[in-house]
C-alpha cells in the first residue's frame, strides 16, 4: 500500500454502482463515474458538468447527465468485448489519487475462445478542465483483427430515485471537421446538443488516434446523436494496439451559444500527445496536493482514506466558476440531483477556506450572486431580508421537492418539509462568510459581498422571530433543526442560537464597516434600510431569544425534547438501517433519538463560548442518543471533533473511521447514489480541529494535538491570512 492508490481486484456485479461512485474522476468542471467504457448491464454512466441543470419531475431541476465520452466498443475478431460475456480471467482497477488517473486491466476470453489483455486509462485533465482523455491498449494472444468504435453518445439518460429514466438533451447537429493543418485521416468530430428546458447548448468534440499497431481502416460513422470513429488494425500475436481518445466540452455557460462547437474543436487542437496531456494534468495535481495533503503515519487505512476523501472534494471543487456550488453528492451520482445544501457551508467550506481560499470564495460568491432569489423566498413567506433555500441549484430558488413518491408504495406521496421549515441554512451561510473573513483577512470581500450576506440574513432572522407575550421572549417555532428525525419542533437550540449569532455578527460587521469602509456602510444602511429602529429590534431579539437549557448547563435539542420517549439504542442492535427506517418517520419523531447531534455541532461552531465541563456534560448526554451508524452521514466528523475536545481519543477514532469509510466501504449502504460530500469535507475538519486541536481567531492560531495512540505522525497545511502554515505533529 503506497497511501495513494484505491484498488479493486475483483469484478463484483453486486457492488457495481458503489464502485462506479468511488472510481469517479473529475476536475472541478466535470466529473465522470467509474462506469466501464464498453458498458455493463444496469450501469449508471454519468458525466456531470457543474451548473448544467434541467427541469425534472418532483425534484424541480437536476444536473443533466451530459453526452457520454466514455463510449468505446472493442471487438476482437468480430466479437464484442464485455465483462458480462465470455470469461474474465483477471480484473484489476486502480485510481491513482495523486493525479486522478483511473486504470483498468482485464484479461478476457471471448465466448469463442479468443484471448486479449485490455488496458484502459482515463483522466479528466486538471490542467485543461474542458478536456478528458482516454487510452486503450489491447494485446491479443494470437494474431487478430481488433476493431475500436469510439463515440460521443448524445443520448445519456438520467435515473430517478426509483429507477425511472429521463432524457435531457435534444440533438442539434453533428459532423466531421477537418483541421486544415492535420492529416486528412485524423479529422475531429463534433456533437451539438441542447438541454430541453434550460436550453443550455453543449458542444463536444472528439479526436481518436491510433498510436501503436498498424491501422488498416478508419471510418467515420455519422450515426445520429452518436458520431463514431471506427478503427481497425491487424495485430500479430502479443502485439499491442493503442488508441487514444480525447473529448472536449464547452457549453453556453462557458462561451456564447453560437461558439460552443468551435470552442470544443479548438480545445482539441491544443492536444499534442498523451504524455504531454498526462504531464500537464499531473503537474496541476501536484499543486493541489501541496496545499491539501494530510499525512498520517502509523495507520495505513486512515492515510489512504483521508486522501480519498480529499480527492473527492478536489474533483468537485469549482476553481474557475463562481456561479456553481457543490451538491450533497458532488458530481458523482444522481443522489440529491446535484442540489447544494448547508453541507457546503458547514462541512466542506472549512477545508477550502483553509487550504484553497480561492475555491472557498467562489462557493461563497455563488450564494452572494443568488441573494435576490433568497430575498424573494423571504418575501414570499412574508418576511424581510434573505432566506436561502434549503436546496439550491442554478437559480437560487427553493428546489427541495415538496412531495416525493414513497419507496414502499409509489402511489403514496410523502410530504417533504425541509424546504419550508429547515431555516437554519441562512445562518449557516452567514457563519461561513464570517469564517472565511476571519481566516483569510480578505477585507475587500467582506466589504464587497460578505457584509451584505450577513446583514440581509440577519434582517430575515429578526423578521422571522416570534414574540411570545406570555413568556416575554422571542421564539422560532415550527422548524426542523439539523436533526431531521424531529420535524415541526419549537425552539431548536441550534437554530435559535445561530440566528442570535447571525444578528450579533451583523451588528459587529456593521460597526467594523463604519470605521473601515464608511461609504460602503452608508450604502448598505440605505440599501437594506438598516434604520436605528431596525437595529434596536435586532438587539432586542438578541437579548430575548429563547435558548432552551436546563440550569445545570444541558442545552436542549428543542423545547419539548425531554418529553419525548427515551430509547436504548443498544437494544435495537443488531440493525443495518436507520432508526427512522426502523420506527418510521412518525415513530422516530416521538423518541429522543437524534439523526445528528445539533447541540454538539453548535458547540463546535461557537467553541469559544462553552466551558470544557459544559461540553462534556452535553457530549455525555447526547452521544448515546444519536444514531451514529445509520443516521446522518454528516454527524461523525463533528462527533470526532467533540470527542477530541472532551478527551475521548478512542471514541474520536471510531467516529473518524466511520466518516472516512462512508463511501470507500459504503457503510450506510447508499454510496450508489454518489459521494457523501459533507462527510468527505468533514474529515478534514476532524483532522485539523479534532486531532490537531487547531483553533483560529482574528488574533492568530494555536494547536492542541490529541492523536489516536497508534498514530506516529500527523501533518497538514493551512492558510492563515494568506500565508501557508505547516502543522507537523510527531514528525522530524
Ligand atoms: C441530512 C441533511 C443534509 C442532506 C444532504 C440529509 O439526510 O439530514 O443534514 O443536508 O441529507 O446531505
Amino acid at each position: 500500500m503506497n497511501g495513494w492508490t484505491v484498488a479493486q481486484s475483483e469484478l463484483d456485479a453486486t457492488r457495481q454502482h458503489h464502485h462506479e461512485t468511488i472510481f469517479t474522476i473529475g476536475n472541478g468542471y466535470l466529473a465522470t463515474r467509474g462506469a466501464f467504457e464498453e458498458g455493463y448491464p444496469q450501469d449508471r454512466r454519468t458525466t456531470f458538468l457543474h451548473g448544467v441543470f434541467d427541469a425534472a419531475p418532483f425534484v424541480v431541476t437536476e444536473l443533466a447527465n451530459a453526452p457520454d465520452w466514455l463510449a468505446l466498443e472493442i471487438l476482437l475478431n468480430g466479437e464484442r468485448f464485455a465483462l458480462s460475456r465470455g470469461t474474465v480471467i483477471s480484473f484489476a482497477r486502480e485510481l491513482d489519487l495523486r493525479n486522478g488517473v483511473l486504470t483498468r486491466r482485464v484479461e478476457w476470453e471471448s465466448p469463442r475462445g479468443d484471448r486479449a489483455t485490455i488496458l484502459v486509462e482515463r483522466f479528466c485533465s486538471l490542467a485543461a478542465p474542458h478536456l478528458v482523455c482516454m487510452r486503450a491498449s489491447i494485446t491479443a494472444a494470437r494474431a487478430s483483427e481488433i476493431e475500436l468504435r469510439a463515440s460521443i453518445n448524445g443520448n445519456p439518460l438520467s435515473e430517478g430515485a426509483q429507477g425511472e429514466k429521463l432524457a435531457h438533451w435534444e440533438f442539434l447537429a453533428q459532423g466531421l471537421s477537418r483541421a486544415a493543418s492535420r492529416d486528412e485521416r485524423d479529422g475531429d468530430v463534433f456533437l451539438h446538443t441542447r438541454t430541453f428546458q434550460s436550453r443550455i447548448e453543449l458542444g463536444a468534440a472528439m479526436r481518436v488516434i491510433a498510436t501503436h499497431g498498424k491501422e488498416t481502416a478508419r471510418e467515420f460513422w455519422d450515426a445520429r446523436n452518436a458520431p463514431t470513429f471506427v478503427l481497425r488494425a491487424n495485430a500479430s500475436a502479443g502485439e499491442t494496439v493503442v488508441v487514444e481518445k480525447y473529448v472536449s466540452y464547452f457549453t453556453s455557460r462557458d462561451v456564447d451559444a453560437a461558439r460552443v462547437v468551435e470552442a470544443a474543436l479548438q480545445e482539441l487542437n491544443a492536444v499534442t500527445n498523451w504524455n504531454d496531456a498526462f504531464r500537464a494534468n499531473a503537474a496541476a495535481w501536484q499543486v493541489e496536493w501541496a496545499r491539501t495533503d494530510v499525512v498520517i503515519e502509523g495507520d495505513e487505512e486512515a492515510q489512504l482514506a483521508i486522501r480519498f476523501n480529499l480527492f473527492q472534494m478536489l474533483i468537485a471543487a469549482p476553481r474557475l466558476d463562481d456561479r456553481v456550488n457543490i451538491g450533497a453528492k458532488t458530481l458523482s451520482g444522481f443522489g440529491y440531483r446535484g442540489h447544494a445544501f448547508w453541507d457546503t457551508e458547514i462541512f466542506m467550506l472549512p477545508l477550502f477556506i483553509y487550504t484553497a481560499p480561492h475555491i472557498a470564495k467562489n462557493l461563497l460568491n455563488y450564494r452572494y450572486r443568488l441573494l435576490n432569489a433568497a430575498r424573494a423566498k423571504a418575501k414570499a413567506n412574508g418576511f424581510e431580508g434573505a432566506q436561502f433555500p434549503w436546496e439550491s441549484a442554478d437559480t437560487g430558488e427553493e428546489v427541495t421537492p415538496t412531495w416525493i413518491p414513497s419507496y414502499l408504495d409509489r402511489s403514496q406521496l410523502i410530504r417533504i418539509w425541509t424546504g419550508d421549515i429547515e431555516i437554519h441554512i441562512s445562518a449557516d451561510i452567514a457563519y461561513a462568510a464570517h469564517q472565511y473573513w476571519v481566516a483569510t483577512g480578505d477585507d475587500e470581500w467582506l466589504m464587497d459581498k460578505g457584509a451584505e450576506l450577513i446583514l440581509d440574513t440577519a434582517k430575515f432572522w429578526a423578521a422571522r422571530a416570534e414574540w411570545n407575550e406570555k413568556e416575554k421572549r422571542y421564539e422560532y417555532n415550527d422548524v426542523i433543526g439539523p436533526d431531521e428525525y424531529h420535524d415541526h419542533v419549537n425552539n431548536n437550540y441550534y437554530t435559535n442560537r445561530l440566528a442570535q449569532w447571525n444578528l450579533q455578527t451583523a451588528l459587529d460587521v456593521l460597526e467594523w464597516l463604519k470605521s473601515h469602509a464608511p461609504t460602503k456602510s452608508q450604502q448598505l444602511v440605505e440599501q437594506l434600510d438598516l434604520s436605528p429602529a431596525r437595529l434596536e429590534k435586532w438587539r432586542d431579539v438578541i437579548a430575548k431569544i429563547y435558548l432552551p437549557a436546563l440550569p445545570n448547563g444541558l442545552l436542549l435539542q428543542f423545547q419539548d425534547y425531554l418529553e419525548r420517549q427515551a430509547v436504548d439504542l443498544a437494544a435495537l442492535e443488531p440493525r443495518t438501517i436507520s432508526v427512522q427506517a426502523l420506527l418510521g418517520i412518525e415513530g422516530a419523531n416521538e423518541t429522543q433519538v437524534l439523526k445528528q447531534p445539533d447541540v454538539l455541532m453548535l458547540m463546535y461552531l461557537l467553541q469559544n463560548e462553552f466551558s470544557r465541563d459544559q461540553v462534556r456534560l452535553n457530549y455525555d448526554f447526547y452521544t448515546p442518543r444519536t444514531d451514529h451508524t445509520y443516521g446522518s452521514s454528516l454527524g461523525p466528523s463533528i462527533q470526532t471533533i467533540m470527542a477530541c475536545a472532551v478527551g475521548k481519543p478512542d471514541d474520536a477514532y471510531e467516529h473518524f473511521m466511520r466518516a472516512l469509510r462512508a463511501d470507500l466501504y459504503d457503510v450506510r449502504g447508499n454510496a450508489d447514489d454518489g459521494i457523501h460530500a459533507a462527510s468527505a469535507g468533514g474529515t478534514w475538519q476532524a483532522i485539523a480541529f479534532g486531532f490537531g486541536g487547531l483553533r483560529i481567531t482574528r488574533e492568530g492560531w494555536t494547536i492542541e494535538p490529541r492523536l489516536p495512540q497508534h498514530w506516529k505522525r500527523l501533518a497538514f497545511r493551512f492558510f492563515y491570512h494568506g500565508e501557508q502554515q505547516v502543522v507537523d505533529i510527531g514528525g522530524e
Side-chain angles (χ1 to χ4, degrees), residues 522-581:
Q522 194 46 41
Q523 181 215 318
L524 285 175
V525 165
E526 280 161 30
Q527 180 196 332
L528 304 178
D529 182 26
L530 305 177
S531 64
R534 183 187 296 281
L535 301 186
E536 207 32 54
K537 163 86 186 280
W538 291 11
R539 286 189 199 96
D540 201 43
V541 178
I542 292 167
K544 297 179 192 147
I545 185 75
Y546 177 40
L547 298 171
L550 296 189
N552 68 354
L554 184 77
L555 312 181
L556 294 183
Q557 181 82 2
F558 51 86
Q559 192 174 339
D560 302 319
Y561 175 70
L562 294 176
E563 285 153 39
R564 308 279 162 124
Q565 187 190 324
V567 171
D568 177 8
L569 277 175
L572 300 180
E573 299 296 340
R575 64 186 165 99
T576 52
I577 52 173
S578 71
V579 170
Q580 194 180 51

Side-chain angles (χ1 to χ4, degrees), residues 408 485 569 572-584 588 593-594 626-632 667-670:
L408 305 170
Y485 280 0
L569 277 175
L572 300 180
E573 299 296 340
R575 64 186 165 99
T576 52
I577 52 173
S578 71
V579 170
Q580 194 180 51
L582 204 64
L583 306 180
V593 183
L594 310 179
T626 304
D627 186 359
H628 301 288
T629 35
Y630 298 106
S632 175
V667 295
R668 288 160 196 278
N670 59 358

